[in-house]
Amino acid sequence: MIDRERFQKLVEKHLDNTLTLSEEKELETYYNNYGEQIFPSTIEQGIKKSLYQNILDRKIKGQKSKISKINHHLPFRAAAAVTLILVLGFSFLFISSPKYPEQITVTTQFGERKEVVLPDSSVVTLNSGSSISYPKLFIGNKRQVSLKGEAFFEVAHNPEKPFLVTASTLKTWVLGTSFNIRAYENSPSIKISLETGSIRISSEGHEMATLKPDEQLSYHKVSSDFSISNHETDKDISWLDNVLELDDHSLEETQQIVERWFNVKLQVTTKENTKEQSITGKFIDPTLEETLKSLELLTGSKITYKNQVKPLKFHSQ
């Protein structure tokens, strides 16, 4: 992020020709990293070019530029300082606008998956009925994204800029690793499973746990209770290979999974004593008809369906 006071001080020292070599490099770094932000496109091109060049101008081979200190140049430098401060004032208003940086949102409908490459080259695979929002450019001291639904993350390693995923009230901090988060809005729980590396999970400022590979955190949204268990993460990410895997899921959970997977609405007619039945099974490259037929045999239920017609709508957090 730009330190406004520091940047302004460096500019003033430059105009007075009192910059040290290290300060000159620091000022040049500001312009290399934030030049487009400091001079928005709405600033008149002549002013931008003149001021930008004036600050960056140095002789080749590391020699410091020698600026004459003749008194008749002082009014110009003062005017340049005033102009630059005005530009900076406008720029920081521009930067602090909620429109900067631009936020990108990618969604998947039921029956759809997408792979998203983030600005830092991290890769996110969205499962069906999910949404991820992230900035067009990661600035500051962290890489922050928000998730609704389910996604598998392969995070590029950067210890100086941790990766942060917000899903409902849970925050997952990462340096570089791969993990799965399932946080559908209509589900009473959030499940986070770690494949490789290490992640730290917190809620509303309170640290909850640090997971190791093949551990899962299960969080109940209403009670805020959570548990950590040893868990085969491969089961949670089998959807990446188009394998629908059920692992002691309730009938209600199974219904939601199938609806998202095939973009259908199910009508399940079952006996009262089978509603709490848990379901375990694996369907490789499943078809809807085969899946429903197997579930009917497993549960003794009658299952019908109709195709979904309305696109999903995601509400902002």
Side-chain angles (χ1 to χ4, degrees):
M1 297 293 290
I2 300 175
D3 183 336
R4 178 176 182 171
E5 292 183 2
R6 177 60 177 165
F7 178 73
Q8 184 171 326
K9 182 177 180 180
L10 291 173
V11 170
E12 290 171 350
K13 291 187 71 173
H14 171 81
L15 293 170
D16 288 335
N17 198 29
T18 58
L19 281 177
T20 65
L21 181 59
S22 63
E23 288 172 333
E24 193 173 76
K25 290 180 179 179
E26 183 182 354
L27 181 57
E28 185 173 346
T29 298
Y30 268 112
Y31 273 87
N32 287 337
N33 293 338
Y34 303 109
E36 292 298 321
Q37 302 170 31
I38 292 171
F39 292 110
S41 59
T42 52
I43 299 300
E44 197 249 321
Q45 292 295 322
I47 295 175
K48 288 200 298 184
K49 183 176 180 180
S50 175
L51 294 177
Y52 186 87
Q53 185 60 40
N54 184 263
I55 289 177
L56 287 182
D57 189 29
R58 290 193 303 165
K59 287 187 177 180
I60 302 175
K61 297 181 181 179
Q63 295 180 356
K64 296 175 65 175
S65 58
K66 297 180 181 179
I67 302 176
S68 172
K69 288 193 174 182
I70 300 174
N71 285 338
H72 70 264
H73 284 172
L74 289 175
F76 168 77
R77 292 214 303 272
V82 171
T83 303
L84 187 55
I85 289 170
L86 289 174
V87 171
L88 285 172
F90 179 88
S91 300
F92 279 97
L93 285 174
F94 175 80
I95 292 169
S96 62
S97 165
K99 294 182 180 179
Y100 186 88
E102 178 186 348
Q103 289 290 311
I104 298 171
T105 299
V106 179
T107 64
T108 54
Q109 300 300 315
F110 286 173
E112 180 182 30
R113 300 190 193 110
K114 289 181 181 176
E115 185 175 276
V116 181
V117 180
L118 301 181
D120 65 340
S121 297
S122 295
V123 179
V124 180
T125 306
L126 282 179
N127 204 349
S128 57
S130 303
S131 169
I132 187 170
S133 296
Y134 59 94
K136 189 174 183 180
L137 178 67
F138 288 126
I139 61 175
N141 58 4
K142 61 178 177 288
R143 299 167 285 169
Q144 186 167 357
V145 304
S146 60
L147 171 71
K148 295 176 182 178
E150 183 171 14
F152 180 72
F153 292 82
E154 296 172 278
V155 178
H157 185 69
N158 185 350
E160 296 181 356
K161 185 176 287 192
F163 192 93
L164 172 62
V165 183
T166 300
S168 187
T169 60
L170 297 191
K171 295 183 182 296
T172 302
W173 291 89
V174 188
L175 293 179
T177 185
S178 56
F179 58 98
N180 193 80
I181 297 180
R182 185 185 304 139
Y184 287 102
E185 290 184 308
N186 64 346
S187 174
S189 65
I190 298 174
K191 294 186 178 182
I192 303 175
S193 305
L194 180 64
E195 183 185 41
T196 62
S198 177
I199 55 178
R200 187 175 76 249
I201 303 166
S202 64
S203 176
E204 300 177 341
H206 301 289
E207 186 168 336
M208 300 166 63
T210 299
L211 295 189
K212 297 180 293 186
D214 282 332
E215 285 187 338
Q216 181 187 79
L217 181 141
S218 182
Y219 172 82
H220 196 276
K221 294 179 183 178
V222 176
S223 67
S224 296
D225 292 334
F226 69 93
S227 62
I228 301 170
S229 59
N230 293 323
H231 185 78
E232 293 181 43
T233 301
D234 286 347
K235 292 183 177 180
D236 289 326
I237 62 176
S238 61
W239 59 270
L240 294 168
D241 297 318
N242 204 37
V243 176
L244 195 165
E245 186 153 358
L246 303 172
D247 185 21
D248 287 330
H249 287 75
S250 68
L251 182 57
E252 181 180 4
E253 289 175 322
T254 301
Q255 179 177 341
Q256 293 173 353
I257 291 171
V258 172
E259 288 179 341
R260 289 192 298 263
W261 193 286
F262 294 104
N263 190 26
V264 294
K265 185 67 177 177
L266 299 184
Q267 180 65 45
V268 181
T269 304
T270 186
K271 297 178 181 179
E272 190 67 27
N273 61 356
T274 62
K275 288 186 177 180
E276 301 303 320
Q277 178 181 356
S278 62
I279 301 171
T280 297
K282 179 185 290 188
F283 303 86
I284 301 174
D285 296 325
T287 65
L288 176 60
E289 288 73 17
E290 290 174 347
T291 302
L292 296 185
K293 186 177 294 184
S294 296
L295 292 177
E296 286 181 330
L297 291 173
L298 285 171
T299 63
S301 304
K302 176 64 178 176
I303 305 175
T304 59
Y305 72 92
K306 61 180 180 180
N307 293 324
Q308 297 273 27
V309 292
K310 293 182 179 180
L312 293 178
K313 293 183 179 180
F314 293 94
H315 303 287
S316 60
Q317 290 180 334

